[in-house]
Amino acid sequence: MDGSDSKTEVSHELTDGFHLIIDALKLNGINNVYHVPGIPVTDLGRMMQAEGMRVISFRHESNAGNAAATAGYLTRKPGVCLTVSAPGFLNGLVSLAHATTNCWPMILISGSSEREIVDLQKGDYEEMDQLAVAKPLCKAAYRILHAEDIGVGIARAIRAAVSGRPGGVYLDIPASLLGQVIDAKTGAQSLIKVIDPSPAQIPAPHAVDRALDVLKGARKPLLILGKGAAYAQCDAIVRQFVERTGAPYIAMSMAKGLLPDDHPQYAGAARSLVLKESDCVMLIGARLNWLLGHGQGKQWGERFTKKFIHVDIDPKEMDSNQPISAPLVGDIESTLSLLLARMDQWAPPPTDWTEAVNAKRAANVERMAPRLANNNVPMDFHGALGRLKRVFADHPDAILVNEGANTLDFARSIIDMSRPRKRLDVGTWGVMGIGMGTAIAAAVETGHPIVAVEGDSAFGFSGMEVETICRYGLPVCVVVFNNSGIYRGTDADPTGRDPGTTVFVRESRYDLMMQAFGGEGVTARSPDDLERAVRDAIASGKPTLVNAIIDPEAGTESGRIGNLNPQSAVQRK
Ligand code: ADP
Ligand code: MG
């Protein structure tokens, strides 16, 4: 049956749960599914493919789930992950929680066992009350028991995922639902095309005036763009607003490229100065969470001396860490448009502020330049990333996927982004293991070349998906920063018995993993080799893994967040 004209179908034909789920998703423009087959959803995946949906089958649900979360972020439609019951469902939960934490729309659809058996705990195949388990980890969770409720169930899941602050939704589909047969016409009529799934949210006029008064009163304003602003996909308005204010801005990692990182107002290279010295900070789709030191502490200067303006779609975010002088609760597009409409006569901030920021930025950029140009063997992070910076400058549409500790921290500040949503990383929790799922979804959803810059440890969490990359022939170049360990490759077991807890097999041949599945595998020992290999990979569009051998001494503990590790005060002999 064809979803597009199903509403006009005559009766006497039948449909079932399988087809209604497919029709409901397609009716709502959801055509891609990230999946691991198995009982009871194997046929559902097959039928989705047969009905023209793009079904990407993974090797592990956590990677399929990360792919779905990424798809949601990139498209503003819920990314869908389809898994089997209990163990597959549990494997999908980390990504569901990750999507929710990042405010990305995602729907985890898992098959489950029969209610009559689960609820009496009679011991069904993979028996688990999945709905109860999922609830605290996502924005909403629903179970569909009857075929005629599939339309409502999917409509609710879509609305919950994308409206207001986006997040993850769990949808439980017991095996018996799939085979339930109903009249095709009744089924078609039960489907819902969700109208205006993420309605505009307009801030009140007095809130807009208040914010403009506070911003106008600032002598040292600072704007902070977060991934909520990138998600909003109103790039021209964000740029216009930033430029109209004339204020320096910094971008949280995934907001990089919303305006090009070489923009004259970009203060990324003067981050310490602007956080400390600013007198008014306007947050646009960024939370004052741990990633910003909760808006207090040494990096922020004296507490309660700054005013905060906060644009966010979620009213509960206001005052979560610091008092907000001007809350602007609304969606970013509507809010910035309203602000702009009243900023015709806007005076730029005092030049002593902008000049101080520019001077600091120029000095830091100059100090960094020689480190980035080194061609040392063994490679250090700066030499390697300096070359990748050049490659990305020549390929502004390439998408950078990035995870690791040092690999993440250094790449974030070294590699400039010049277009929106071209940097995808570990998000709010700092999840290791997002790499291959993210790379695959980015390739599937955008068709752009993908370069995944991966710490060797981070890569290990999802490395088996190189087979998926090869199987679907995706234009993904994985660069493993191989320093032979977690943080560094030099730890030893003090007793001499085993390898140190943070080391790996020295100079592992990750390149052979890609070769094993028919892709290209290359080893790079110098920055020159690395640059050449990545350029070749982008030009060929072939799945490639570049094993970039980095000095095992080069990393630091937990990258730049080593301070989060508790310290033992006890010294045992
Ligand atoms: P970052 O980590 O980049 O700082 P966060 O994930 O902390 O970004 O913050 C993103 C914020 O953006 C969240 O508080 C979320 O509620 C908000 N947000 C998401 N979409 C929109 C939107 N369309 N309009 C306004 N705010 C949004
Ligand atoms: Mg490492």
Side-chain angles (χ1 to χ4, degrees), residues 362-439:
N364 282 348
V365 168
E366 195 183 307
R367 198 166 46 88
M368 190 63 118
R371 296 180 72 187
L372 297 180
N374 89 60
N375 195 32
N376 296 344
V377 178
M379 280 191 279
D380 56 32
F381 287 97
H382 287 87
L385 289 166
R387 298 313 177 90
L388 295 183
K389 177 189 175 86
R390 291 188 203 169
V391 175
F392 275 95
D394 292 340
H395 293 280
D397 271 329
I399 295 180
L400 169 63
V401 174
N402 192 198
E403 62 175 334
N406 293 281
T407 306
L408 176 81
D409 288 339
F410 288 121
R412 183 174 49 226
S413 54
I414 292 172
I415 301 178
D416 288 336
M417 300 280 98
S418 55
R419 308 237 167 115
R421 295 171 297 283
K422 295 291 181 277
R423 188 189 149 82
L424 302 171
D425 67 27
V426 298
T428 303
W429 267 355
V431 180
M432 294 300 114
I434 54 91
M436 297 306 101
T438 300

Side-chain angles (χ1 to χ4, degrees), residues 381 406-407 455-458 481-489 504:
F381 287 97
N406 293 281
T407 306
D456 50 354
S457 159
F481 272 41
N482 183 355
N483 65 349
S484 300
I486 303 173
Y487 314 131
R488 302 159 69 85
F504 297 137

Side-chain angles (χ1 to χ4, degrees), residues 11 21 28 45 88 107 132 178 181 217 221 254 285 287 305 329 337 345 370 394-395 407 417 461 482 494 519:
S11 68
I21 290 172
N28 285 288
I107 303 175
L178 294 167
V181 172
M254 289 183 61
R287 284 169 286 185
T305 55
V329 176
S337 303
Q345 307 293 320
D394 292 340
H395 293 280
T407 306
M417 300 280 98
F461 288 79
N482 183 355

Side-chain angles (χ1 to χ4, degrees), residues 155-404:
R156 301 214 73 184
I158 292 171
R159 274 202 193 277
V162 297
S163 61
R165 170 183 277 180
V169 174
Y170 175 61
L171 196 55
D172 193 79
I173 49 170
S176 60
L177 173 74
L178 294 167
Q180 277 179 33
V181 172
I182 61 170
D183 174 70
K185 192 171 169 200
T186 313
Q189 284 169 341
S190 73
L191 300 185
I192 295 174
K193 183 168 167 57
V194 177
I195 310 290
D196 196 11
S198 67
Q201 228 163 284
I202 320 274
H206 64 265
V208 173
D209 289 340
R210 185 194 294 123
L212 285 173
D213 285 346
V214 173
L215 191 59
K216 210 175 283 172
R219 296 214 66 242
K220 299 176 173 183
L222 169 67
L223 311 176
I224 301 182
L225 305 178
K227 61 180 171 301
Y231 172 80
Q233 291 199 22
C234 53
D235 310 327
I237 291 169
V238 172
R239 181 168 188 152
Q240 218 187 329
F241 176 76
V242 171
E243 290 180 344
R244 187 75 56 83
T245 66
Y249 74 94
I250 57 174
M252 302 303 287
S253 69
M254 289 183 61
K256 275 165 68 78
L258 205 39
L259 286 79
D261 281 355
D262 61 2
H263 192 280
Q265 286 166 257
Y266 185 49
R271 183 186 166 96
S272 319
L273 177 115
V274 291
L275 287 186
K276 190 163 197 160
E277 303 281 322
S278 54
D279 64 356
C280 172
V281 177
M282 179 166 184
L283 298 150
I284 305 174
R287 284 169 286 185
L288 265 183
N289 56 17
W290 73 280
L291 285 157
L292 284 168
H294 308 282
Q296 66 190 70
K298 235 173 49 200
Q299 59 167 331
W300 283 89
E302 199 161 341
R303 205 168 168 200
F304 305 127
T305 55
K306 284 186 211 306
K307 291 198 162 151
F308 287 96
I309 303 169
H310 198 163
V311 183
D312 203 289
I313 203 156
D314 185 351
K316 297 193 301 299
E317 192 55 40
M318 304 300 151
D319 305 323
S320 57
N321 286 273
Q322 298 297 324
I324 302 299
S325 307
L328 273 170
V329 176
D331 73 274
I332 286 165
E333 180 170 5
S334 306
T335 306
L336 296 189
S337 303
L338 285 175
L339 289 164
L340 272 167
R342 301 189 198 187
M343 290 173 77
D344 281 341
Q345 307 293 320
W346 197 259
T351 50
D352 55 345
W353 171 236
T354 49
E355 278 166 14
V357 175
N358 289 344
K360 182 73 181 174
R361 186 183 64 182
N364 282 348
V365 168
E366 195 183 307
R367 198 166 46 88
M368 190 63 118
R371 296 180 72 187
L372 297 180
N374 89 60
N375 195 32
N376 296 344
V377 178
M379 280 191 279
D380 56 32
F381 287 97
H382 287 87
L385 289 166
R387 298 313 177 90
L388 295 183
K389 177 189 175 86
R390 291 188 203 169
V391 175
F392 275 95
D394 292 340
H395 293 280
D397 271 329
I399 295 180
L400 169 63
V401 174
N402 192 198
E403 62 175 334

